[in-house]
């Protein structure tokens, strides 16, 4: 059984550490906020100018002046702060944000990431992704291991225009946890019920399998 | 000092075809909606717009886009606007997509008298093409230049006659850095007050960066993605 989006978010949440400031991208990464483990205190940063972002507002309490980077209405938690875009990216570039979680179309076994442009199709723009991947100390990619055609998205080399080079530390996919190492992707954990063989078949980039690979404990 | 002008029409006087304009806001949050609406009423065209996004269909820069009055758009994300997509793919509109932090810093640098700076964002990508690369502390960076803008149109929550501004919530976003960068900065506010009313400790943008200020006639403040949770 491969993981669904919630399962991927749940596994990534296990990597949160107490005291971290965390930037979550749009899509699966946003769901990570729902699974912060007990006893772990983190603050979520939204690059349009929030530290201490809270959940969506209750109906009737939406404020057009309070949105996240995905333009969704949000709330603030106690201890939150607000700032301008230059200050926000100073936090990001200055490596004051400990973890970035974002989605990807492709990741290479050297840690390159492509997630902003498909040539010939509509280009929506990179938003803050290039700034985030160029500077974050820890970058976890949340993604499906293969595309809708069943082709691997974890590759020897990205085919799409890059968002950043040699920057991804870890991938949490529907099949596995992979770490980017000098020898390629290292298989760290398998999704519940997923075999090493299945991960190997879905991974086009170099894959290091060292000893027994545990199942994720979710 | 008194920088008050009576309305949006008077505030945008001097904006001409071919100029470069900075427009504050993130999506439609914190958008100078009255100044843009007034600009749409003029026959100004062929402008270059520096703004994080390109508005939506009939709001914000969408008002200028639909009449093909924007020559070039410099932005970080333009996914919300179908007309934008059409004009970009047909080649009618020139588009320069740049990383969001670089966009903010190129505004800030312009206002701070820093002609260029090195950033790691975009190294190794097509954003870096043609740009000088230098290694600092073992990490490659690319050279990015400050913007230059004839006018900056920004929006704040409260402002006084001296041009001091206070923003609210995430409507701050690019507004303070764009206010610093415009040769002429036009600020519109929801509430314009006398110079004794704002606490100097609480000012986000000092009045020195603002040349004209007015109170917007009305604010629509649309929400792009209304998301709520169910009451337990």
């Amino acid at each position: 059984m491969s993981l669904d989006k919630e399962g991927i978010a749940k596994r990534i949440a296990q990597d949160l550490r107490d005291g971290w400031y965390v930037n979550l991208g749009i899509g699966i990464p946003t769901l990570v906020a729902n699974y912060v483990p007990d006893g772990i205190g983190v603050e979520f940063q939204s690059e349009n100018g929030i530290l201490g972002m809270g959940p969506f507002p209750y109906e009737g309490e939406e404020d057009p002046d309070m949105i996240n980077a995905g333009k969704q209405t949000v709330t603030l938690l106690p201890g939150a702060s607000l700032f301008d875009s230059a200050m926000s990216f100073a936090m990001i570039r200055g490596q004051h944000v400990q973890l970035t979680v974002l989605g990807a179309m492709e990741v290479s076994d050297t840690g390159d990431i492509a997630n902003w442009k498909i040539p010939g199709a509509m280009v929506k723009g990179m938003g803050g992704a290039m700034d985030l991947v160029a500077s974050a100390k820890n970058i976890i990619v949340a993604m499906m291991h293969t595309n809708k055609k069943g082709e691997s998205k974890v590759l020897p080399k990205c085919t799409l225009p890059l968002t950043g080079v040699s920057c991804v530390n870890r991938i949490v996919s529907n099949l596995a946890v992979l770490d980017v190492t000098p020898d390629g992707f290292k298989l760290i954990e398998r999704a519940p019920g997923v075999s090493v063989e299945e991960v190997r078949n879905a991974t086009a980039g170099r894959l290091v399998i060292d000893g027994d690979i545990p199942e994720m404990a979710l | 000092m008194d920088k008050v002008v009576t309305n949006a029409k008077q505030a945008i006087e001097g904006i001409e075809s071919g100029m470069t304009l900075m427009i504050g806001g993130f999506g439609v949050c914190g958008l100078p909606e009255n100044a843009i609406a007034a600009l749409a009423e003029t026959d100004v065209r062929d402008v270059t717009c520096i703004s994080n996004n390109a508005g939506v269909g009939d709001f914000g820069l969408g008002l200028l886009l639909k009449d093909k009055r924007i020559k070039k758009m410099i932005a970080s994300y333009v996914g919300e606007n179908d007309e934008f997509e059409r004009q970009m793919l047909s080649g009618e509109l020139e588009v320069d997509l740049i990383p969001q932090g670089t966009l903010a810093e190129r505004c800030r640098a312009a206002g701070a008298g820093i002609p260029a700076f090195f950033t790691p964002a975009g190294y190794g990508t097509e954003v870096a093409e043609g740009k000088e690369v230098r290694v600092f502390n073992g990490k490659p960076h690319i050279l990015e230049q400050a913007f230059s803008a004839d006018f900056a149109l920004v929006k704040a929550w409260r402002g006084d006659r001296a041009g001091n501004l206070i923003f609210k919530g995430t409507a701050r976003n690019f507004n303070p850095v764009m206010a610093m960068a415009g040769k002429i900065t036009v600020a519109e506010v929801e509430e314009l007050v006398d110079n004794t009313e704002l606490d100097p400790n609480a000012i986000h943008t000092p009045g020195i960066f603002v040349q004209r200020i007015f109170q917007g006639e009305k604010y629509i403040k649309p929400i792009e993605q209304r998301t709520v949770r169910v009451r337990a």
Side-chain angles (χ1 to χ4, degrees):
Chain A
M1 256 301 282
S2 66
L3 297 177
D4 59 7
K5 291 176 179 181
E6 300 285 341
I8 293 173
K10 219 182 264 187
R11 175 59 192 83
I12 291 171
Q14 293 177 356
D15 287 346
L16 298 174
R17 295 291 171 265
D18 194 43
W20 274 7
Y21 294 96
V22 179
N23 183 289
L24 301 177
I26 296 166
I28 302 175
T30 306
L31 302 173
V32 173
N34 299 332
Y35 299 105
V36 180
D38 286 343
I40 299 289
V42 295
E43 273 198 20
F44 293 109
Q45 201 249 19
S46 189
E47 64 266 27
N48 59 317
I50 309 176
L51 268 181
M53 180 170 50
F56 298 140
Y58 291 118
E59 191 158 11
E61 293 177 4
E62 313 92 290
D63 178 356
D65 291 331
M66 191 57 65
I67 63 168
N68 65 15
K71 282 118 188 163
Q72 298 170 308
T73 42
V74 292
T75 57
L76 300 181
L77 293 174
S81 59
L82 297 160
F83 35 86
D84 68 56
S85 300
M87 175 79 84
S88 178
F89 283 93
M91 290 172 195
I92 290 165
R93 245 185 269 104
Q95 299 194 320
H96 305 281
V97 175
Q98 278 83 9
L99 172 67
T100 286
V101 183
L102 75 175
M105 300 173 192
E106 296 176 345
V107 177
S108 81
D109 63 21
T110 55
D112 295 353
I113 176 172
N115 74 350
W116 75 283
K117 183 176 184 180
I118 301 174
M122 172 54 185
V123 180
K124 296 184 187 303
M126 66 290 280
M130 283 193 184
D131 310 90
L132 283 159
V133 300
S135 295
K137 284 178 219 160
N138 297 299
I139 298 174
I140 298 179
V141 168
M143 69 192 292
M144 293 296 159
H145 217 96
T146 54
N147 64 21
K148 289 194 178 99
K149 291 184 224 158
E151 297 160 340
S152 182
K153 293 165 70 176
V154 287
L155 306 169
K157 197 172 188 306
C158 293
T159 62
L160 295 168
L162 296 179
T163 308
V165 293
S166 305
C167 54
V168 175
N169 304 97
R170 170 167 280 195
I171 298 168
V172 178
S173 78
N174 54 325
L175 300 182
V177 176
L178 303 178
D179 277 356
V180 177
T181 72
D183 300 320
F185 298 119
K186 184 169 187 204
L187 181 55
I188 303 296
E189 293 172 15
R190 299 170 287 120
V194 171
S195 68
V196 169
E197 227 20 65
E198 283 173 82
V199 177
R200 198 200 307 270
N201 290 338
T203 306
R206 292 172 297 157
L207 184 67
V208 178
I209 299 161
D210 193 5
D212 282 342
I213 309 299
E215 259 188 23
M216 296 177 197
L218 294 172
Chain B
M1 289 232 196
D2 195 326
K3 297 173 179 177
V4 175
V5 294
T6 52
N7 55 31
K9 190 170 175 234
Q10 207 183 337
I12 61 159
E13 229 165 71
I15 296 184
E16 292 169 10
S17 295
M19 280 186 168
T20 296
L21 312 176
M22 284 179 177
I23 316 282
F26 184 93
V28 295
C29 181
L31 205 64
E33 46 181 286
N34 287 278
I36 295 172
L39 188 59
E41 295 292 309
T42 68
D43 54 6
V44 169
R45 52 194 314 116
D46 294 326
V47 287
T48 294
C49 289
I50 301 167
S51 190
N52 190 56
N53 313 88
V56 291
D58 250 339
F59 192 76
L61 290 181
L63 293 172
L64 296 181
L65 261 176
K66 67 175 185 184
D67 294 334
K68 299 181 196 167
R69 289 157 62 186
I70 300 179
K71 183 180 73 176
K72 182 178 181 179
M73 188 75 217
I74 300 172
S76 87
Y77 191 84
V78 293
E80 302 89 353
N81 194 320
D82 292 342
E83 174 61 14
F84 187 99
E85 173 177 357
R86 196 196 63 70
Q87 289 187 26
M88 185 168 102
L89 292 175
S90 70
E92 292 163 62
L93 178 68
E94 216 181 310
V95 180
D96 196 0
L97 291 170
I98 63 178
Q100 196 172 120
T102 299
L103 179 68
E105 196 63 16
R106 289 176 70 185
C107 295
R108 202 198 71 82
I114 294 177
F117 58 90
F118 282 97
T119 175
Y123 170 74
T125 75
E126 57 188 58
V127 164
E129 282 169 19
K131 290 174 186 161
E132 184 184 337
V133 174
R134 267 177 76 177
V135 175
F136 296 95
N137 302 321
K139 186 171 171 169
H141 295 70
I142 60 177
L143 185 68
E144 293 281 4
Q145 296 193 33
F147 285 123
S148 170
D150 298 297
F151 275 80
L153 308 181
V154 304
K155 189 255 165 182
W157 174 42
R158 306 180 80 201
D160 65 18
R161 306 185 75 88
N164 296 303
L165 304 176
I166 295 176
F167 302 90
K168 180 166 158 276
T170 55
R172 195 179 322 181
N173 56 66
F174 287 85
N175 284 299
V177 285
M178 288 186 173
M180 292 169 67
K183 289 194 184 89
I184 296 175
T185 291
V186 174
E188 62 173 87
V189 295
E190 289 179 50
E191 193 190 353
L192 182 63
V193 299
D194 281 331
N195 285 349
T196 51
E197 299 233 352
L198 300 182
D199 176 359
N201 289 297
I203 302 295
H204 294 131
T205 291
I208 191 169
F209 295 120
V210 174
Q211 279 68 49
R212 303 174 191 172
I213 187 167
F214 71 100
Q215 183 172 307
E217 197 181 333
K218 62 172 176 137
Y219 284 92
I220 299 168
K221 294 211 228 174
I223 293 175
E224 281 181 70
Q225 306 286 339
R226 188 179 297 274
T227 43
V228 294
R229 74 187 135 137
V230 181
R231 247 174 242 276

